[in-house]
Amino acid sequence: MHASDPSEEELHQLAHDLDLDLGLLRDGIDPFEVPRFELDAGVAYLYTRYVEERDGETTTAPILIAIGGTFVLTLAATTPRFI
């Protein structure tokens, strides 16, 4: 599943429904987040950046890929064109 520009309430719901760490989810939409990998309670959190064009300029934006035993979640402030 993909979550785009989630509200605080939606982040809480995702954390509850998928048994995810709320703080790690919040990091996924932090514009200053750097690429990294976290493993927490059997869930792999991969933080990376993708290239996008915004207002005629090329920039990067963060995206979180969380992989659990029964799900794959992508989370970003905006939906990348490749999703």
Side-chain angles (χ1 to χ4, degrees):
M1 76 179 74
H2 176 70
S4 180
D5 192 24
S7 66
E8 186 65 22
E9 181 179 323
E10 290 168 326
L11 289 174
H12 279 273
Q13 191 67 49
L14 283 169
H16 176 266
D17 290 351
L18 300 175
D19 197 25
L20 301 173
D21 182 284
L22 182 60
L24 293 175
L25 286 179
R26 285 185 184 128
D27 290 348
I29 55 174
D30 179 350
F32 302 107
E33 188 61 53
V34 296
R36 64 185 169 107
F37 178 80
E38 297 278 341
L39 187 59
D40 182 65
V43 178
Y45 296 83
L46 174 63
Y47 299 86
T48 190
R49 299 187 72 84
Y50 65 94
V51 176
E52 68 177 1
E53 188 174 320
R54 201 182 298 167
D55 300 325
E57 293 187 24
T58 301
T59 186
T60 64
I63 186 168
L64 165 62
I65 303 166
I67 303 169
T70 60
F71 67 89
V72 174
L73 167 70
T74 57
L75 182 139
T78 60
T79 301
R81 290 190 320 216
F82 59 85
I83 292 187

